[in-house]
Structures are given as structure tokens and as C-alpha cells.
Amino acid sequence: MTAVETQMTYANSYTITHEETYMTQEEDWDRDLLLDPAWEKQQRKTFTAWCNSHLRKAGTQIENIEEDFRNGLKLMLLLEVISGERLPKPDKGKMRFHKIANVNKALDFICSKGVKLVSIGAEETSAKEGLLLWCQRKTAPYRNVNVQNFHISWKDGLALCALIHRHRPDLIDYSKLRKDDPVGNLNTAFEVAEKFLDIPKMLDAEDIVNTPKPDEKAIMTYVSCFYHAFAGAEQAETAANRICKVLAVNQENEKLMEEYEKLASELLEWIRRTIPWLENRVAEQTMRAMQQKLEDFRDYRRVHKPPRVQEKCQLEINFNTLQTKLRLSNRPAFMPSEGKMVSDIANAWKGLEQVEKGYEEWLLTEIRRLERLDHLAEKFKQKCAMHESWTGGKEELLSQKDYESASLMEIRALMRKHEAFESDLAAHQDRVEQIAAIAQELNELDYHDAATVNARCQGICDQWDNLGTLTQKRRDSLERVEKLWETIDQLYLEFAKRAAPFNNWMDGAMEDLQDMFIVHSIEEIQSLITAHDQFKATLPEADKERMATIGIHNEILKIAQTYGIKLSGINPYTNLSPQDIGTKWDTVKHLVPLRDQMLQEEVARQQANERLRRQFAAQANIIGPWIQTKMEEISHVSVDIAGSLEEQMNSLKQYEQNIINYKSNIDKLEGDHQLSQESLIFDNKHTNYTMEHVRVGWEQLLTTIARTINEVENQILTRDAKGISQEQLNEFRASFNHFDRKRNGMMDPDDFRACLISMGYDLGEVEFARIMTLVDPNNTGVVTFQAFIDFMTRETAETDTAEQVMASFKILASDKSYITVDELRRELPPDQAEYCISRMTRYVGPDAAPGALDYISFSSALYGESDL
């Protein structure tokens, strides 16, 4: 129960208990007063003082009511001071009819204001009750004060002192007043009122204390002066408070606008600087340099971009919060500077992510290309070296004319030797083609030293063509003398025919066993192992061929020994010897285990890579669905959470903290992703989630929870600013949830119409179309929960207006059309006074005084568009 209610309850109780006695006493008091000459004297004195309190504003006063008001002049002047209006021009004559005319003009003016000059009607009674209720409300908290009427309730002076202390506690120390000192209390009130409140002394303390029932009209007249004095102050204080509140809103909004502009500018500038870096797709020429680019990109994703993601999210939150505050304070929506709209930032961010999306893929492609280039370049050098070693001296041999002085046997031998060489030459054709193919691929892959490769390849090809030409010329020469030769040692020939292919086979085997390889999976290395195992399976047959070839040579030696043939030690058909075959065979057998070891090492590396793949996939397959689940939960959380908005906020904050605490899992996955990239792992069949998927999902999750929290914050702002109760918000939420049939935080227009009808709206097509333009200004086809809340609060709450602010300034300006600097500094806090002074334009009306400021245009501008 309030203090006023307590006081009224006490008064009612007192009245009921003593009603009969009190009414009898009232009748006796009234009868005595009418018969008491002192009463009439008190009435005359009070009214005289009251009149003088107004007339002194016009520089005059009265001494005797009957005499000074007789000619009507001062009465008309009194009415002009009280009303602030001009009465008809008075008659200046001194005749009785002149005086009567002036009094009639005064009475006519009083009647024109609706004041009745006879009896006490309902209006007067109502005014009395209103004044009494005001006194009761103001004095209710004070001890020993119980205002029930306008006579005995004021005898001890405490009620008057309480009225003064309530409004000006600096003038009276109420705690020092005593109920047993009524005269002292009354005189204190009279003196303070006259000195500090400009209320003249109309009563005598002794008259009030010594009278059983003080004059009611006299006290009412005196107390009404306090009402007007304090009501004006209260009105000015209320006006100043309203202005301060409006200015504070504008100052806060302007600060938020400036912060938005600054943050938007910084973010857009960062995007502007970053996009060219991501668009630069000029490849480096070395693996090391490209891997450094990849590391720089990782730093960008891990270190540089996450804070910007948070800034972008915070920017959207600040924008939404600002728009909510502007809407709640009846201000127009904030329009950022050109190019800094939320949509502009979103488009810039989209452009950033588009160029970013292809950058990492380009880096990895380039790294693979350089890896392939390094591999091909090394392979090219190896094959070129082997080929150049084989061709060494061949051109000189083919250019010899040894057949001109050779014997028949030697010619036949040269012919067979040449046939063996041609066979060998054909076998090397494949290697030349391989060298050319590798050179072409290096060119296609933009190998940085392509000129050297091309020159070397061209030299080999030219040499090869020359060898072919020389071979054909030598064959032509040998064929011309072939018919001159008759015999040939078939065993040498057979050895040569067997040895040459076997030798070539061993050359190929050694080349294959030393061949470099590049693989990226267990399956690829297993394929190489299978091929190697198949090669090893051919070794027994090859060994038989080796033994058979060596057996032919042994047969030659046996025949030579049997028939006593002296051999020169040189096979006329080949330069290959059994020792050559044995040496190469030993080399092949030595290379086989080395190849085994190399393949097993690669198996181990690929197994390690597979473990990395599985390790990454195990986490990604948990984190990916977790993020997706959280996204789905958050999409419902804003409409599913029960309880007050503060409880919802606490729940969402805990939810946000749980998400933030999950960040360590993302960091660990980033670490595994980096290990995979460092091991040149580019695919993973064990998961459908890439690191990019997880990064994007994580950023969206953080942004979504932040936006959801911001929505609740805006609802709190809306509730507090518009005076919407929690029960109303709960009712709005329940209605929205009922018609949110898809449970996605949105209603389609038909469901929204049904929702409004359920809440008592009588909707026609035109009215519903108007409402839809409010809740769906962008014509998206859906109504969000925030838009619904905004609409309902607009429907149920009041807002400040420019007209109200103008009216408040007018009060501070004492009803003038302008306000002065001194008035602003006197009525408003310093910072807000200076805020107005710096923004108000000069008043140019006909009644303008020096330094006058235009508060009307300023008030309109407070609710107009910002300059930001």
C-alpha cells in the first residue's frame, strides 16, 4: 500500500469513527464564524494579500478592497495579470456610471471564462477535492501530518512545512520541527514562502492557532499559491526530464551511428586490401615458395580473418540494435553513408569469400604441378643421361669406312654387327620418345627452365635423326659388299642375337628398378608393388636365358678348343661379352632388393598418410554433424525458450559459451588438416567434410548465435522502451509459436493473418496489405519473429514525438517561441545544454530577442534523418 493510500485509509477510518461528532462540530464552527467579526477581517486580509501578490507584478497594490476596487480599474488590472490577456479599454471618467461600466467589464470577462459568480457548483467542489488530493499525496510520507481538510489539518503548521520540504528540501529542515510549536512552524512556512517562493504572507500564525476552525477559503487560497508555484516547477522539471531523455537517446544513437561508420569503414578497407592479394594467382617457380604462400594463407584463415568475421557479425548486431532503438524512440531508420550499408558489406564479404574459395584450391593445384614438374625434370635428366651415355661414340663408329679394307669374313662380321646395332637402335627409339614426351609435358606445365629442357631434348632428337641417317648409309655400304662375303660363324651370330635382346632387357630392367615414382594413396603404391612382384616372377626365366646365352659362348670355346681354332677373343657380331652379361645381371639382382626397400618405405609413408586421413575424418565426422545440429537448434531457440527475456538471455549466453568452449576441437582439426597438407594429402575418402566446410560452418554458427542473442537484446530494448510487460511478450510469443507451423522462426502471410485474427484484429484486405508492408518491407514473403514483435509493440505502446519535445521546450522557455542560451544552461545538464546550443539555429521570428534560438526546428530535426 502506498503512503497516499495509507493516509487516505487512515483518514476514512478517522472520518467514519468520528463522523457524527465531527459534523456537529462543523455546524457549530460555521455558525460561530458567520457571527464572528474577526472572521470577516481574516477573509478581507487574506484576499487583499492574494490580490497584491498578483498586482505587484504590475507595479501597484491595494489597501482596502471596498475602496480600491470600487472604480473597477484595479480589478480589471488584476484580471489582466492573472489571465495574461487584455481586457476592453476601461472608462476613465469619475462618474458613478463610469465605475459601474468598468466593474461590469471585469465581471463580463470573468463570466466569459466560464466562472460562475454565485453559489458553489460541482466544478468548484471538484477543484477543491483535486487540491486536497494533491496535498495528501505530497505530504503522505511525513510524520505528524494528516491532511483531511482545509482548516484544522493545517493548524500546527507541519502540513505547510511538509509541502515546502517535499519540493524544496534545501529551505526547511523538517526533522527539527516540533508538533507542539504550531506558531513557530507556521511562521517558518510563511517566511520561507515569501522569501524564496514569492508567495506573500496572507495569514497570521496566531489567528490560525487561536481559532477553533481556521477559515477554509483563506487556507485554500494560500495553499493554492503553493500548488501553482510547485506545479510550475514540476512542469518545468518534467519538461526538462523529457528533453534530457530525448537528447540522451539522440546522443546515444549518434554515437552508435559513428561507431557503425568507423567499424564499417575499417572492415571494408580490410576487404579492399585483402581481395587483390587473394586474386593474385601468379605462381612461384619453386615448391618452397609455393608452400610459403600456402602457409601465409593458413595464417590468414587462422589469425587474420576470424577477428574480421566477428567484426562483421558485430557490425550487423550493432546495426540491428541501432535500428531497434531508433524505431523504439520514434526516429527514422539509420541510413549509413553511401557504400556502407549492411548489404554493401555483405556483398563485399561475399566477393572476398568468392576469391578466397578458389585461392586455396589454386595453391594446392600449383603445389601438385610443381611436384610433378620436379619429378619430370629429374626423370628427364636421368633418361637423357642414360641415352647420351649410350649414344657416345656411335656417330663416329657409323661414319667409319673400315669395310673398304676388310676381309670377306670381316665384312660379313661388320654386316652382322651392323644388323645387331640396328636392332639395338630400334630398341632405344622408345627412350627417345619418352624423353620427348617428358619435355613436352614440362613445357605444358610451364617448367621454369623449359628452355634448357627444350635445347637438350632437341639435341637428342637431332642426334637421333643423325644416327638414323648414318645407320642407313652404313647399311647401304655394307649391303653393296654383302654378296662378297660368304660365311659367318653361326654361333657368334646366335650369341649376338641372344645377347643383344637380353642385354637390352637388363638395361630396361635396371632403368625400371631405378625409375622414380610419385603416389598419393595405398592403392597406387600397391599397384607398383604388384608390378614389381610380377617383374621378380620373370627373373627365373631370365636367368635361364642368361645361362643359355652364356652356354652358346661356352660352346664356341669348346669348338675352338676341339678344332684348335685360335680366336681373337672378340665376337665379330657384338661387343657384348659373357662378362658384360654377368656384370649387368649382378647389377639387376642388386637393384631388386633396393627397389623392394624403396617400395616398402613408400608403403610406410602412405600408411602414415592413411592414418592422418582417418584421424582427420574421425574428428570431422563428429564436428561436422555437431555444427549442423547446433545450427538447427539455434534456428528454433529464439521461439522455443520459455521464461522471461532475461532468462532467455542467460540461457543463450550459456549456449554461446558452450559453443565457444568447443573451439578447441576446431583448432585440433585445423592442426590435423595442416599435417595432412604438409604430407601432400589432397583427398580423403573417409569423410565428406573438408576443412573448408568446417570453417564455414563454424563461422556461420558463431554468427547465428550472436544474431540470436542480439534479437533477444532488441526485444529487451523494445520491452523496456515501450513499457511492454513480460506477460504481453509471452502472449506474443505463444501466438507466434502457434502459427509458426514449420518451426523455423517465420510465418507465411496466411498464417500471419490467422495469428492477427486470433488476437482480435478485424482485418480487411486493405488493412492487411498495409500491415504486411510494415512487417515485410522487402517483400520476402515471410514474417520473422522480430518483425512480429516490432509490429505488436508499435500497436500497444506509446512513443515520444517531436510535438511533445516542442511543448517541453516551450515550458522551459516560458511559453516563448524561442529559447535563450541562459535558459538552456539553467534548465538542462551542462553536456545536454551545450548539445542543444551547438545544434540549434538562430530564431528569426518577429519577436526574436538577441541570442534567441529556434527550438521548434531543432525538435523536428531530432526526429528527422541523421546527417551521418
Side-chain angles (χ1 to χ4, degrees):
M1 181 178 291
T2 65
V4 173
E5 290 170 336
T6 303
Q7 186 74 7
M8 292 299 294
T9 302
Y10 174 80
N12 291 338
S13 174
Y14 179 88
T15 301
I16 294 172
T17 304
H18 303 284
E19 181 177 4
E20 184 176 351
T21 303
Y22 180 80
M23 289 184 65
T24 301
Q25 189 178 32
E26 282 276 321
E27 292 173 358
D28 293 341
W29 283 341
D30 291 342
R31 184 173 57 255
D32 292 343
L33 283 174
L34 292 173
L35 298 175
D36 186 4
W39 175 81
E40 182 179 352
K41 180 181 178 181
Q42 178 64 54
Q43 285 278 308
R44 185 180 291 105
K45 178 180 179 181
T46 300
F47 186 65
T48 300
W50 180 84
C51 291
N52 284 334
S53 70
H54 294 289
L55 287 172
R56 65 183 177 182
K57 297 176 184 178
T60 188
Q61 63 179 12
I62 60 173
E63 298 292 338
N64 184 290
I65 294 177
E66 289 87 347
E67 295 299 327
D68 293 340
F69 278 169
R70 185 181 300 277
N71 62 8
L73 294 177
K74 287 192 176 180
L75 178 60
M76 293 179 68
L77 181 61
L78 174 66
L79 293 176
E80 288 184 341
V81 172
I82 295 174
S83 67
E85 299 180 23
R86 298 288 297 179
L87 270 70
K89 186 176 181 180
D91 291 359
K92 297 297 184 178
K94 297 182 178 180
M95 302 298 292
R96 184 171 181 274
F97 73 90
H98 291 130
K99 299 177 181 178
I100 294 174
N102 289 335
V103 171
N104 285 334
K105 290 177 182 178
L107 295 178
D108 290 343
F109 179 79
I110 294 173
C111 292
S112 70
K113 299 302 179 182
V115 179
K116 297 181 179 179
L117 299 177
V118 295
S119 76
I120 299 178
E123 294 83 356
E124 290 77 6
T125 302
S126 175
K128 175 183 176 182
E129 291 176 353
L131 181 62
L132 183 64
L133 182 61
W134 179 80
C135 294
Q136 290 172 337
R137 187 173 71 252
K138 295 296 181 180
T139 61
Y142 290 85
R143 59 181 176 82
N144 298 326
V145 177
N146 181 20
V147 176
Q148 296 297 320
N149 49 54
F150 282 110
H151 37 80
I152 62 173
S153 294
W154 303 84
K155 287 187 67 174
D156 58 13
L158 290 177
L160 280 173
C161 290
L163 270 181
I164 295 173
H165 185 269
R166 179 64 182 272
H167 296 89
R168 290 288 303 275
D170 57 310
L171 300 180
I172 291 179
D173 186 352
Y174 189 84
S175 64
K176 293 183 178 180
L177 300 179
R178 302 196 320 273
K179 187 174 179 63
D180 60 357
D181 184 20
V183 174
N185 296 339
L186 287 167
N187 283 330
T188 296
F190 295 157
E191 291 169 3
V192 167
E194 189 166 33
K195 183 177 181 180
F196 296 102
L197 303 179
D198 199 28
I199 298 175
K201 183 179 178 181
M202 302 179 184
L203 306 170
D204 290 324
E206 291 77 6
D207 292 343
I208 296 175
V209 172
N210 297 328
T211 302
K213 179 189 177 185
D215 181 59
E216 185 176 55
K217 287 184 174 60
I219 291 180
M220 276 183 62
T221 300
Y222 187 62
V223 170
S224 68
C225 292
F226 285 89
Y227 172 82
H228 291 295
F230 292 138
E234 287 182 355
Q235 188 180 29
E237 181 180 356
T238 300
N241 289 339
R242 175 182 290 278
I243 291 171
C244 288
K245 180 180 177 182
V246 171
L247 293 179
V249 168
N250 266 61
Q251 288 172 307
E252 181 181 2
N253 290 342
E254 289 179 5
K255 181 180 178 182
L256 290 175
M257 293 176 193
E258 292 171 359
E259 290 176 353
Y260 174 90
E261 290 280 331
K262 179 176 180 294
L263 189 56
S265 298
E266 291 174 353
L267 182 58
L268 288 169
E269 174 61 19
W270 178 81
I271 293 173
R272 185 191 66 77
R273 293 195 314 268
T274 303
I275 286 180
W277 173 65
L278 293 172
E279 288 177 332
N280 180 13
R281 305 295 168 86
V282 178
E284 302 294 340
Q285 295 184 349
T286 65
M287 276 281 288
R288 184 174 181 180
M290 286 304 297
Q291 286 173 336
Q292 182 59 49
K293 276 185 175 286
L294 180 61
E295 185 60 32
D296 293 342
F297 181 71
R298 291 198 193 104
D299 286 342
Y300 159 76
R301 287 308 306 260
R302 288 195 308 260
V303 179
H304 302 295
K305 185 183 178 186
R308 301 300 180 175
V309 174
Q310 295 177 4
E311 287 179 9
K312 175 177 175 291
C313 178
Q314 190 61 46
L315 198 64
E316 294 175 0
I317 288 173
N318 290 354
F319 183 82
N320 293 335
T321 300
L322 174 59
Q323 298 295 41
T324 298
K325 288 185 175 182
L326 289 171
R327 184 175 60 254
L328 294 177
S329 58
N330 199 29
R331 304 312 198 268
F334 169 51
M335 290 297 292
S337 348
E338 185 176 356
K340 295 179 185 176
M341 293 287 291
V342 171
S343 58
D344 296 325
I345 295 169
N347 290 333
W349 191 266
K350 183 178 179 181
L352 173 71
E353 292 190 328
Q354 285 176 344
V355 296
E356 175 190 308
K357 183 178 181 182
Y359 189 72
E360 185 173 22
E361 182 179 348
W362 169 76
L363 283 174
L364 296 176
T365 301
E366 282 301 313
I367 288 174
R368 291 178 187 173
R369 184 181 70 83
L370 288 175
E371 182 189 27
R372 176 69 176 165
L373 275 175
D374 290 347
H375 171 75
L376 288 174
E378 191 61 32
K379 192 169 185 177
F380 177 81
K381 293 175 183 177
Q382 183 186 52
K383 288 189 177 294
C384 285
M386 293 178 67
H387 178 77
E388 289 165 348
S389 175
W390 177 83
T391 58
K394 293 294 191 294
E395 290 178 305
E396 291 78 2
L397 290 175
L398 290 173
S399 300
Q400 289 179 358
K401 296 184 179 181
D402 50 351
Y403 53 83
E404 292 181 351
S405 58
S407 65
L408 176 62
M409 184 63 70
E410 289 171 340
I411 289 298
R412 292 285 178 90
L414 289 174
M415 187 63 186
R416 298 300 182 266
K417 185 178 180 180
H418 189 69
E419 289 177 352
F421 174 78
E422 286 182 322
S423 177
D424 198 13
L425 184 67
H428 280 271
Q429 175 69 33
D430 181 58
R431 181 179 294 148
V432 175
E433 293 175 354
Q434 289 180 13
I435 290 172
I438 293 173
Q440 182 178 354
E441 187 170 357
L442 286 171
N443 276 281
E444 291 173 351
L445 293 176
D446 295 331
Y447 183 55
H448 66 90
D449 199 10
T452 301
V453 169
N454 290 335
R456 192 170 184 182
C457 179
Q458 187 61 45
I460 289 173
C461 291
D462 292 344
Q463 185 189 43
W464 185 255
D465 292 341
N466 191 39
L467 283 176
T469 302
L470 292 174
T471 299
Q472 185 60 42
K473 287 181 177 180
R474 187 169 179 82
R475 166 170 279 280
D476 293 342
S477 299
L478 291 173
E479 285 179 348
R480 284 195 304 270
V481 297
E482 183 179 13
K483 295 180 180 179
L484 303 175
W485 309 104
E486 295 177 352
T487 188
I488 187 171
D489 190 336
Q490 292 298 324
L491 290 175
Y492 272 130
L493 182 57
E494 186 175 353
F495 176 85
K497 288 183 176 181
R498 277 183 175 272
F502 185 66
N503 181 66
N504 287 332
W505 176 86
M506 288 190 295
D507 284 343
M510 288 189 293
E511 183 177 350
D512 290 340
L513 289 171
Q514 297 177 82
D515 195 16
M516 299 172 64
F517 57 82
I518 177 172
V519 295
H520 295 96
S521 67
I522 289 288
E523 291 77 14
E524 290 177 357
I525 190 61
Q526 288 294 349
S527 177
L528 289 178
I529 290 174
T530 299
H532 184 60
D533 289 341
Q534 291 172 351
F535 167 76
K536 289 193 294 185
T538 65
L539 289 178
E541 287 297 325
D543 193 32
K544 291 179 182 179
E545 180 65 21
R546 179 184 69 85
M547 294 299 295
T549 304
I550 293 176
I552 294 173
H553 182 71
N554 291 338
E555 183 68 20
I556 293 172
L557 295 176
K558 183 179 179 181
I559 293 173
Q561 185 179 7
T562 301
Y563 297 100
I565 299 174
K566 186 179 180 180
L567 299 174
S568 63
I570 298 174
N571 190 321
Y573 308 116
T574 180
N575 291 327
L576 293 172
S577 66
Q579 291 77 16
D580 294 334
I581 292 174
T583 299
K584 287 190 176 183
W585 180 253
D586 291 339
T587 302
V588 169
K589 290 194 296 180
H590 174 72
L591 290 174
V592 167
L594 293 179
R595 186 72 167 182
D596 285 335
Q597 180 181 354
M598 187 185 301
L599 291 171
Q600 289 307 314
E601 289 174 353
E602 184 60 30
V603 168
R605 191 174 77 86
Q606 289 302 328
Q607 288 175 340
N609 287 353
E610 187 66 10
R611 285 193 295 273
L612 287 177
R613 289 188 181 95
R614 292 182 182 277
Q615 182 175 327
F616 177 87
Q619 293 184 84
N621 289 337
I622 293 173
I623 293 174
W626 184 88
I627 291 176
Q628 185 175 358
T629 299
K630 294 304 175 186
M631 288 291 291
E632 293 172 354
E633 291 175 358
I634 292 174
S635 68
H636 301 301
V637 72
S638 62
V639 292
D640 287 346
I641 297 179
S644 69
L645 291 176
E646 285 72 17
E647 291 171 339
Q648 295 176 34
M649 179 63 71
N650 290 335
S651 297
L652 286 170
K653 290 287 187 181
Q654 293 174 3
Y655 210 90
E656 181 183 42
Q657 190 58 50
N658 291 337
I659 292 174
I660 293 173
N661 292 340
Y662 199 77
K663 178 64 163 55
S664 59
N665 297 292
I666 306 296
D667 294 338
K668 187 176 185 303
L669 191 66
E670 282 280 10
D672 289 344
H673 175 64
Q674 182 169 342
L675 290 176
S676 296
Q677 286 196 335
E678 289 171 354
S679 298
L680 299 179
I681 298 172
F682 305 118
D683 56 355
N684 194 335
K685 65 181 180 180
H686 304 295
T687 181
N688 291 325
Y689 295 100
T690 65
M691 194 65 232
E692 182 63 21
H693 291 149
V694 174
R695 288 170 183 156
V696 172
W698 178 251
E699 291 170 0
Q700 290 177 345
L701 181 61
L702 290 177
T703 300
T704 301
I705 186 64
R707 285 173 177 165
T708 304
I709 289 173
N710 179 240
E711 288 177 0
V712 177
E713 290 173 339
N714 286 341
Q715 291 176 36
I716 292 175
L717 283 174
T718 301
R719 181 198 65 190
D720 295 344
K722 298 301 185 181
I724 303 300
S725 68
Q726 186 62 50
E727 291 74 18
Q728 285 176 300
L729 286 176
N730 291 342
E731 179 184 351
F732 296 158
R733 181 180 295 280
S735 299
F736 186 91
N737 288 353
H738 180 77
F739 291 96
D740 178 13
R741 307 188 193 279
K742 297 178 181 178
R743 308 299 294 160
N744 61 354
M746 293 180 285
M747 290 187 291
D748 62 31
D750 290 339
D751 288 335
F752 177 55
R753 180 196 293 270
C755 180
L756 291 179
I757 292 174
S758 73
M759 300 179 73
Y761 281 79
D762 184 12
L763 295 172
E765 290 299 325
V766 175
E767 175 63 10
F768 182 69
R770 182 192 70 81
I771 293 175
M772 281 302 298
T773 61
L774 297 177
V775 298
D776 184 20
N778 296 325
N779 198 27
T780 61
V782 294
V783 180
T784 65
F785 181 68
Q786 187 61 46
F788 176 72
I789 287 293
D790 291 342
F791 170 73
M792 294 308 300
T793 53
R794 281 197 298 270
E795 293 292 300
T796 56
E798 296 181 356
T799 58
D800 288 330
T801 65
E803 289 72 19
Q804 291 173 325
V805 177
M806 292 178 196
S808 298
F809 272 118
K810 188 174 184 180
I811 291 172
L812 300 187
S814 302
D815 287 339
K816 300 191 299 294
S817 298
Y818 59 86
I819 193 166
T820 66
V821 171
D822 290 340
E823 287 171 332
L824 288 171
R825 288 176 173 159
R826 183 180 69 243
E827 301 292 347
L828 298 178
D831 62 328
Q832 295 190 326
E834 298 307 319
Y835 180 86
C836 294
I837 293 169
S838 65
R839 286 166 172 76
M840 282 186 180
T841 58
R842 186 170 62 87
Y843 179 74
V844 295
D847 56 340
L853 298 176
D854 186 355
Y855 65 77
I856 295 177
S857 62
F858 174 76
S859 300
S860 299
L862 288 177
Y863 292 83
E865 292 189 3
S866 168
D867 293 334
L868 290 177

